[in-house]
Amino acid sequence: MKRILQNGALVLLGVAAALLIAEAALRLVPGGHWAQKDPLPPRDYFRADSAAGHDISENAGLAKFPLKDCDLDIWGNELGCFDRPYRGEDPFILLVGDSFSWGYVPLEEHWGKLVEERTGIRVLSCGVPAYGTKNAFLKARRVIEKANRKPQAIVLGHCVNDPIDDFLHPRYRVVDGYTLEARSIVDFSAGTIRELTEGALQAKLETWRVYGAPEPPRNPGWERFRRILSESSATYRLIQPVLSDFKAAAARLLGQAADRVEQASPAIHYANLPFRPEGELSWLDEAWRNHLGELRAFRRWADRQGIRFFVVIIPMREQVYPFLPGAESRGGDGPTRRVREFLEQEKIPHADLLPLFRRHADRGPRRSLDSRKDLYWSADSHWSPRGNRLAGLAVAGCLIESRLVDISDEAGRLRVIRGALASF
């Protein structure tokens, strides 16, 4: 018995030593971001807004936003936009939308900056995370009023979740300097909305601070331990996908649906909603009609102001990479096609990026994405710098080809853009 205990102790010591060596080695890898806290924007980066629910604070100071894939320097300029100060440049392009239009990459790698570089016209990037089309419309009017100048064109970044954001508008509120979801759907069959009180939002924030999630976990003790591991151990971050695969396999052996864990998350439900077929949920059909009406109103307002209007249809990463979890339910082009057909019917200039992204993506099955080579971050649902480059080239080319911007040397600029796309 003594020998068994001694051998067991030696095995444990060997495993511990191996883990320590692996941890040290992973921390020496340049650019490694396996071990860090869950992403949370700096406190007071967002301010409360009675109409929109939240907005970027004007003149928000430089702060560090620790994403899972990189550390991002963020700020707000005098117009409440994540961009350098606006110096009255004229003409300029106003870019609005949600988190894809906000960034999730360093500003110099943002697709709006590449549009600026390729067109030679200043692009004022004013996207705000968690905005739908209704809030983007409101943001555009406010920025134009504050700048006291009209842009030559407005570019709206449109995502497939915009109809849901519009349905729940204003979906988020600011509590103690952080944005929290205040309005949510509690019955997906009827579209019933619940709005949280101030006290409930405070409790939700405290839960996030403890567990890194807005809802209390089923096993609080384990979840706190898992979060400590996730924030402090690069080795755990590296093997976590393997553990998730093991958990899914065990669920299947127990007769549990493979995607049950996925279905338990409200965020996954929200992501699936735009892909539900037309006519299945009456409240969702009405939400779509109201959303498309918001797009129509935005364009008509821009026309009255003498501002050109352009919509960029942004694909979800599950639509581009069919091997990712959730691609079975949200990998099709249903909502993308629905928006594109509406824009064609209304004769609204637009670019649907889904075919282009599929064409330039490595769609071969893999465990995960590579943030350096793929079009989306490996640990986040937004575009990587490479995805931003592709989007920027495509949008710049469309703006020039459609003559939505007035520039010199159209032919020369288009030639450069087409060459860059051909060799992308």
Side-chain angles (χ1 to χ4, degrees), residues 121-201:
I121 297 177
R122 169 69 197 272
V123 173
L124 185 55
S125 297
C126 293
V128 181
Y131 266 21
T133 299
K134 185 175 289 189
N135 266 349
F137 187 8
L138 177 63
K139 180 73 173 180
R141 298 198 302 269
R142 286 181 171 177
V143 169
I144 291 170
E145 183 179 355
K146 289 176 184 175
N148 199 28
R149 279 182 172 81
K150 292 181 182 180
Q152 188 173 99
I154 291 175
V155 174
L156 169 66
H158 183 283
C159 293
V160 296
N161 62 346
D162 280 11
I164 307 305
D165 286 328
D166 283 356
F167 176 71
L168 291 169
H169 178 270
R171 184 172 176 177
Y172 291 85
R173 280 167 47 193
V174 176
V175 177
D176 196 22
Y178 296 102
T179 53
L180 294 172
E181 186 180 42
R183 290 165 58 83
S184 60
I185 302 172
V186 292
D187 184 344
F188 284 84
S189 61
T192 307
I193 296 175
R194 175 185 65 184
E195 184 157 1
L196 296 181
T197 63
E198 190 72 19
L201 286 170

Side-chain angles (χ1 to χ4, degrees), residues 9-25:
L10 288 173
V11 169
L12 290 175
L13 284 172
V15 171
L19 289 174
L20 286 172
I21 293 170
E23 186 75 22

